[in-house]
Amino acid sequence: MNYQLLIESYSFGKNLSNQEIELLSLELETQIMNINISTDFGCFKSAPNHICKGLNLREGTFWIMCLAEILDIYKPPRVGKAKSVKVNDLLLEKKLVVG
């Protein structure tokens, strides 16, 4: 299933299964690995406003940040930085967002 559809489902109030969360985790890992190859992937485009609003994120948030935010909700870190913080740091490093 497309990760964007899972994010949209969650933003509309649907709970995600453990299998769906694992798929989202793999997707995030893949996107992070590919950031050094290209930033032309869809994950570096802004998610629709209704999804950002459903996740309590600012309008124009990248898909990759929406993905990290959901994973932080379902699998919060026991120690260290949240996935959304790590992704934001990476986006700042790659100059894809301004701090």
Side-chain angles (χ1 to χ4, degrees):
M1 178 175 257
N2 182 312
Y3 78 94
Q4 292 173 335
L5 292 175
L6 290 174
I7 292 171
E8 185 165 34
S9 294
Y10 178 81
S11 73
F12 285 130
K14 179 188 178 288
N15 287 325
L16 301 177
S17 69
N18 288 336
Q19 183 180 13
E20 290 169 328
I21 294 302
E22 288 307 313
L23 287 171
L24 291 178
S25 291
L26 289 171
E27 180 64 34
L28 181 62
E29 288 176 30
T30 301
Q31 290 180 9
I32 289 171
M33 285 189 311
N34 287 329
I35 197 170
N36 291 321
I37 298 169
S38 176
T39 56
D40 292 331
F41 297 112
C43 61
F44 301 110
K45 293 185 180 2
S46 297
N49 290 338
H50 68 277
I51 291 176
C52 297
K53 184 177 179 181
L55 295 173
N56 294 318
L57 298 171
R58 67 172 176 67
E59 290 184 4
T61 298
F62 287 161
W63 278 106
I64 193 170
M65 283 298 297
C66 296
L67 177 54
E69 186 69 26
I70 290 174
L71 292 171
D72 286 342
I73 291 167
Y74 276 90
K75 296 170 79 173
R78 292 188 180 118
V79 293
K81 292 181 179 179
K83 287 176 179 41
S84 56
V85 173
K86 290 178 182 178
V87 168
N88 189 60
D89 289 348
L90 185 59
L91 293 174
L92 285 168
E93 177 186 317
K94 297 294 181 180
K95 296 182 176 45
L96 295 170
V97 295
V98 177

